[in-house]
Amino acid sequence: MAISTKLMMRQGQALVMTPQLLQAIKLLQFSNLELSAFLHEELERNPLLEAVEADDFPDAPQERGSDSDGGEASFDGVGEPREGDWAQESLAVDAGQLAAELGTEIGNAFELEGQRPGADTSGSLEGAGLSANSWTGASGVGGDGETPNLEAYVAADANLHDHLAEQLALASADPRDRLIGHAIIDAIDEAGYLREDIAEIAARLEADPDRAVAVLAVIQSFDPSGVGARDLQECLAIQLRERDRFDPAMQIFVANLPLLAKRDFPALARLCGVDEDDIADMASEVRRLDPKPGRAFGGAPIQPLVADVIVRPASDGGWMVELNSDALPRVLVNHSYAAKVSAGAKRDGDKTFISSCLQNANWLTKSLEQRSRTILKVASEIVRLQDAFLAKGVEHLRPLNLRTIADAIGMHESTVSRVTSNKYMMTPRGIFELKYFFSASIATTSGGEAHSAEAVRYKIKQMIDKESPFDVLSDDAIVARLKEIDIDIARRTVAKYRDSLRIPSSVDRRRAKQAMARESAPAL
């Protein structure tokens, strides 16, 4: 059989990921902030897109009247001032009536322009020289002719780096030390800790490592106390040195902070060579220190959490699910501008550009509409399946997975996963991420309906919160109690859930609660 080259036609089906389809998929998983940033870029790139704000459609006030000659607008009613009256250069006011209302003479209430001592203040204010310029000055902005700068009275947010840089300028006059100091300050995080190795900073600046360490020691003496430390132990040591409390016993105490976290006071007493009462006093003194000295200067601005879906109780006993209008993007396609520009385009490149912009704008608006409908559809199905949680609480949260929602609304699991990422639902019980309603199932001992993993985690937390200092539940005891309420769970699963809740072991809890009971006993 001879080998030859020939052309063949074959028919088949394949999914082609066009740029528009990729964009629609990307829009599904965007959060509110990411979607706003994306639309901002599109508005700058596409001249046919327009952002619509809620304030763009104000309620039109009713027109109460206008002059037939097209003059100044006036108000109906007797005694109402006309707009043209306020625009006059001088104000004709009865000074006697005004003085009677003020309870004093005009000269005591107003500093009249051009008024000389002994001048007559009777009559109208127009004769006294009180004009429109006397209120606003020659420039119309103030009596002294200068515009009041309101921004000068607004205090700027304190910044930790700027605060340290100001102290560095006063503490060091050597330009090389200042250069090293600024590099160290730039490496200090929002909590006040130095997150870069001092040797790497010195190597980057080609400086002497000993000199860099000396500059770091100067920065560690700045306000706030403890700033520039490389770990928690050094941060506490700096603050204790400034209080003149860093004696040998305290040095050993600070070097064994893990024992303090476990409240193992007998072990600390043996290491420090003091009794347990002294250890309790040292622990209280350390607790009064600031483990994060930089937090007083704030950090990055916190972005507010905006819910995508709002759930409210309905009058018929059900739930009303609606999209949050404040979180919905408002983008329109300016077809009239597109037609006007397209009619004036002469070159083929311009026509192609306008056509492409119009196509992308139409596709973007359709994708945003489809995104809103998909989010509402998924949220409505979640509310339908988690009705017991909304009515009774987290103990009644049902186990749920993506396939259940996908089969109910006729979509793929990947689509549901994208929709539930970084989306939030406002309910009468608080704001929850849509992913919160999806949890694994825990089997029952009787073979009945499974429990949600989140509900079981909540029950474990309730049990631990109610335990007494002298009857602390071990993981095995928690397993036994859960089996009494028809929850079949392994001990390692209880330990995993307890760790996820950041709850220490039974030994550490017993030691901590007994220590707290002893500390509160004298107060009782």
Side-chain angles (χ1 to χ4, degrees), residues 446-472:
S446 61
E449 185 178 359
H451 298 273
S452 168
E454 188 66 29
V456 174
R457 189 181 289 109
Y458 178 75
K459 293 180 184 296
I460 293 173
K461 186 178 184 303
Q462 278 188 322
M463 292 180 182
I464 294 176
D465 291 340
K466 293 179 181 178
E467 64 185 6
S468 66
F470 303 98
D471 186 19
V472 177

Side-chain angles (χ1 to χ4, degrees), residues 176-218:
R176 291 173 294 181
D177 290 345
R178 288 188 179 182
L179 178 62
I180 298 173
H182 283 293
I184 294 175
I185 291 173
D186 290 340
I188 294 177
D189 64 2
E190 297 172 355
Y193 287 89
L194 179 63
R195 295 308 184 185
E196 189 175 351
D197 188 27
I198 190 65
E200 295 180 359
I201 296 177
R204 187 173 70 249
L205 299 176
E206 298 182 357
D208 184 8
D210 295 335
R211 187 166 193 164
V213 172
V215 175
L216 175 60
V218 174

Side-chain angles (χ1 to χ4, degrees), residues 231-414:
D231 51 31
L232 178 60
Q233 179 180 340
E234 186 177 14
C235 178
L236 299 179
I238 294 172
Q239 299 180 55
L240 289 169
R241 284 195 192 97
E242 294 186 359
R243 300 187 181 192
D244 198 17
R245 282 291 293 118
F246 201 57
D247 52 35
M250 185 63 80
Q251 293 180 23
I252 299 175
F253 185 88
V254 172
N256 294 274
L257 291 177
L259 294 178
L260 176 61
K262 296 179 180 179
R263 291 181 174 269
D264 193 353
F265 292 162
L268 285 171
R270 289 193 303 269
L271 291 173
C272 298
V274 296
D275 55 19
E276 292 194 16
D277 292 337
D278 293 334
I279 289 295
D281 294 338
M282 295 165 69
S284 343
E285 189 169 0
V286 169
R287 290 193 192 99
R288 289 194 294 267
L289 303 178
D290 191 355
K292 295 181 179 180
R295 64 182 175 182
F297 293 86
I302 300 176
Q303 297 292 346
L305 185 62
V306 180
D308 299 85
V309 182
I310 299 176
V311 179
R312 296 188 179 94
S315 57
D316 58 355
W319 301 98
M320 182 173 60
V321 184
E322 60 183 358
L323 294 175
N324 185 6
S325 58
D326 295 335
L328 291 177
R330 299 179 178 91
V331 179
L332 298 178
V333 183
N334 195 337
H335 290 280
S336 60
Y337 178 70
K340 181 179 179 180
V341 175
S342 180
K346 304 298 181 182
R347 295 180 298 180
D348 294 338
D350 297 340
K351 295 181 179 179
T352 304
F353 173 76
I354 297 171
S355 176
S356 176
C357 289
L358 182 59
Q359 181 181 0
N360 293 335
N362 289 329
W363 180 266
L364 179 60
T365 53
K366 291 180 181 178
S367 299
L368 292 175
E369 183 181 356
Q370 180 66 29
R371 175 183 181 272
S372 301
R373 287 200 301 265
T374 306
I375 292 175
L376 183 60
K377 188 181 297 185
V378 172
S380 300
E381 186 63 22
I382 291 176
V383 170
R384 187 184 70 83
L385 295 176
Q386 299 293 359
D387 175 74
F389 162 77
L390 297 174
K392 301 178 182 179
V394 67
E395 293 183 353
H396 299 272
L397 190 67
R398 295 178 53 186
L400 186 63
N401 53 33
L402 297 175
R403 179 179 292 275
T404 304
I405 300 294
D407 293 342
I409 64 178
M411 292 184 177
H412 196 268
E413 291 181 45
S414 61

